[in-house]
């Protein structure tokens, strides 16, 4: 009906290409336009001005001989003022862009190792964008953005990389565990050494207190009871300690102490042995 009335409608974000007798005449902007077909004018096609996206999957090989699939997303649209070039100069815009993407990716990725390819994704995307911008501007298209959205290694390579990463993390965990156990053992040994030192210090102080107490007892008994000697006092102290010890042994049902020989007379023998040893030590030091 619009063509019969010599009028044509162009939608928003779209331009129409008008020809006159088969030759390009003008670009029609969105809106209603008069198109007198009797003068040979007609609309031969429409061109969208919306931003378009093309996803390209390219398989290539890295420098360390690993096959990867690189997924690139190209966002493009016609250049303002060059709609006629975008319509007439290319038959298949998407195929042309895809060819340039293949060329740049297969020239860039083989120069990089697999790990470097992941790190330098932005550099690869920039190289693709620069090449496309230079080539497609002559055809009336603007490259808005180029993204490398994914790099997919072969499944076996990906599994091997995961295993290497897992092994490295397990090694670090084992080292940390061993270091922690080492610290625990060192602290335990330090604690045991400190405990033994304090225990020995306590025993030494206990023995010193016993010696001081025995000395005071001997001196006090000798002063209060005339005619007694130090030997008599020591025998009495040993007998007293003997009965105290027997009392403690008898009071405990789980005691495992054994006295050989057993009997009050044995205390005198022990005292005699101690006294003889002291005398022998004294004579040896005098000589």
């Amino acid at each position: 009906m619009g063509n019969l009335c010599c009028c044509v409608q162009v939608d928003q974000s779209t331009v129409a290409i008008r020809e006159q007798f088969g030759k390009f005449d003008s670009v029609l902007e969105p809106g209603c336009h008069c198109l007198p077909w009797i003068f040979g004018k007609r609309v031969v096609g429409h061109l969208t001005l919306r931003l378009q996206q093309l996803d390209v999957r390219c398989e290539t090989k890295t420098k360390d001989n690993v096959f990867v699939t690189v997924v690139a997303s190209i966002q493009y649209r016609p250049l303002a003022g060059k709609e006629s070039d975008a319509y007439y100069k290319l038959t298949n815009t998407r195929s042309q862009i895809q060819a340039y993407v293949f060329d740049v990716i297969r020239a860039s990725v083989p120069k990089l190792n697999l790990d470097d390819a992941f790190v330098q994704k932005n550099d690869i995307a920039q190289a693709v964008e620069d090449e496309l911008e230079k080539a497609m501007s002559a055809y009336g298209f603007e490259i808005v953005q180029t993204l490398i959205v994914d790099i997919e290694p072969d499944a076996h390579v990906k599994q091997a990389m995961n295993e290497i990463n897992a092994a490295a993390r397990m090694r670090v965990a084992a080292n940390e565990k061993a270091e922690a156990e080492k610290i625990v053992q060192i602290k335990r040994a330090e604690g045991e050494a400190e405990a033994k030192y304090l225990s020995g210090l306590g025993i030494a102080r206990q023995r010193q207190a016993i010696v001081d107490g025995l000395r005071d007892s001997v001196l006090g008994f000798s002063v209060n009871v005339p005619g007694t000697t130090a030997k008599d006092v020591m025998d009495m102290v040993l007998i007293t300690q003997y009965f105290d010890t027997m009392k403690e042994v008898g009071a405990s049902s789980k005691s495992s102490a054994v006295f050989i020989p057993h009997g009050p007379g044995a205390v005198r023998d022990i005292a005699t042995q101690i006294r003889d040893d002291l005398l022998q030590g004294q004579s040896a030091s005098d000589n």
Side-chain angles (χ1 to χ4, degrees):
M1 180 64 69
N3 290 333
L4 293 177
C5 298
C6 298
C7 293
V8 65
Q9 175 183 315
V10 180
D11 295 333
Q12 183 66 32
S13 299
T14 305
V15 294
I17 306 299
R18 183 174 65 182
E19 293 181 353
Q20 185 175 16
F21 296 114
K23 180 182 179 182
F24 171 72
D25 181 60
S26 63
V27 175
L28 302 181
E29 299 292 335
C32 182
H33 299 272
C34 181
L35 199 69
W37 56 270
I38 58 175
F39 295 110
K41 294 185 177 182
R42 65 189 181 95
V43 173
V44 295
H46 294 78
L47 185 67
T48 179
L49 300 179
R50 294 187 177 95
L51 185 68
Q52 302 178 65
Q53 177 167 313
L54 173 64
D55 293 330
V56 181
R57 297 178 63 88
C58 176
E59 185 177 14
T60 185
K61 185 178 70 170
T62 62
K63 187 177 181 180
D64 47 355
N65 296 322
V66 177
F67 282 91
V68 295
T69 299
V70 180
V71 182
S73 293
I74 314 300
Q75 298 174 355
Y76 65 98
R77 63 188 173 192
L79 280 169
K82 292 188 176 183
E83 293 87 350
S84 59
D85 291 340
Y87 183 81
Y88 286 106
K89 287 188 176 182
L90 285 180
T91 302
N92 192 328
T93 305
R94 300 174 74 86
S95 297
Q96 186 77 9
I97 293 176
Q98 182 174 331
Y100 280 108
V101 172
F102 280 176
D103 180 65
V104 176
I105 289 179
R106 287 174 176 169
S108 302
V109 175
K111 299 178 183 178
L112 304 173
N113 292 325
L114 180 59
D115 293 339
D116 295 335
F118 280 98
V119 174
Q120 300 183 27
K121 285 198 312 179
N122 292 337
D123 296 337
I124 299 173
Q126 188 62 46
V128 174
E129 183 173 340
D130 293 342
E131 184 67 22
L132 284 175
E133 186 71 29
K134 182 171 57 177
M136 298 303 295
S137 60
Y139 299 109
F141 283 95
E142 173 191 7
I143 304 301
V144 178
Q145 184 74 17
T146 300
L147 302 173
I148 301 298
V149 296
D150 197 10
I151 298 178
E152 301 176 356
D154 182 77
H156 297 292
V157 176
K158 188 183 297 185
Q159 181 179 359
M161 292 173 64
N162 291 334
E163 290 177 354
I164 292 173
N165 190 21
R169 293 181 181 276
M170 291 178 64
R171 183 169 61 251
V172 172
N175 290 337
E176 293 294 333
K177 182 179 180 181
E179 189 67 23
E181 292 178 350
K182 175 184 175 181
I183 293 174
V184 170
Q185 292 178 358
I186 291 174
K187 292 301 181 181
R188 184 184 296 115
E190 292 177 352
E192 291 177 354
E194 185 68 18
K196 290 180 180 179
Y197 169 76
L198 295 176
S199 177
L201 188 62
I203 292 174
R205 291 177 178 176
Q206 179 185 12
R207 290 175 178 175
Q208 182 64 39
I210 292 174
V211 171
D212 294 341
L214 290 175
R215 183 180 62 249
D216 294 340
S217 298
V218 170
L219 293 176
F221 195 86
S222 299
V223 172
N224 296 325
V225 183
T228 59
T229 64
K231 174 181 175 301
D232 298 331
V233 176
M234 289 299 299
D235 289 341
M236 186 186 69
V237 170
L238 289 175
I239 290 293
T240 303
Q241 289 185 347
Y242 170 78
F243 284 113
D244 290 340
T245 302
M246 293 301 299
K247 179 180 179 181
E248 292 178 359
V249 171
S252 176
S253 61
K254 297 181 180 180
S255 177
S256 58
V258 178
F259 291 91
I260 299 175
H262 178 64
V267 177
R268 182 177 296 276
D269 297 336
I270 295 173
T272 301
Q273 293 176 10
I274 295 175
R275 184 168 55 255
D276 292 342
D277 290 339
L278 290 174
L279 292 175
Q280 291 177 3
Q282 182 66 31
S283 63
S285 61
D286 294 338
N287 294 331

